[in-house]
Amino acid sequence: MAKKKETENLAEELAKSFERWEHLREYGGSDPSYADGTNMNLVRNHIMYYKNKMVEQYGTDYEKYPEIFYREVPPKVSENYMARAGEIKDGAAQALEYYISDPNFFYLLANKDVLTEKEAKQISLHNVLGYASGLARAIKDGDLITMRRHAGRPEGYLESFAQCATRMMNIINDRKKEPEQVQGDGQLSLFQFGMETGQRR
């Protein structure tokens, strides 16, 4: 019974791997770091692994081999292959338009020099602004992996702009609420003191 279950699992996993490879070829994936070609070749390795496991188990007992075993192993593809490249480029260009016209992004850009370096790090200002500049660079360089991250979910980056802008506003507003600092050595001059006391008479 256990052997039969293991056989069914191998056949099922092999079928899933073929389906996964075809899906990546036609529609692509959502891996944030690797191209579709890299993942297709990884799935191809899985296919060969399951086939080899069947050979180990069944040997020359050909009646035990499931039909999926005889399906040809898909070809190895370029590691840089990306499905729907045209759609990704269009989506990335649209995302960049969203970014540079977003009021929160514009606010961050206009006030980035108001914050100290420590304050900028606290709200991850440089990282957040880098989303837009990084996408612009990816479009220029043809980096489809980076473009896909933005084309698929620009809303997430727009939300980051909004959150960062809110934190920046809070810092700037808190500064306005701080009491004015006494200049110099912290003591009033006799002239200043006279003016102050004179005003209270």
Side-chain angles (χ1 to χ4, degrees), residues 35-62:
D36 294 326
T38 299
N39 286 308
M40 288 171 69
N41 289 333
L42 180 61
V43 174
R44 179 177 181 271
N45 289 340
H46 294 166
I47 289 172
M48 292 189 292
Y49 168 80
Y50 293 128
K51 279 176 169 277
N52 289 335
K53 288 293 290 183
M54 289 181 183
V55 171
E56 289 177 11
Q57 286 191 22
Y58 312 142
T60 57
D61 193 352
Y62 301 114

Side-chain angles (χ1 to χ4, degrees), residues 20 33 37 39 48-49 67 78 90 129-130 137 162:
R20 176 63 178 161
S33 304
N39 286 308
M48 292 189 292
Y49 168 80
E67 184 178 349
S78 167
D90 291 343
L129 288 176
R137 185 166 53 252

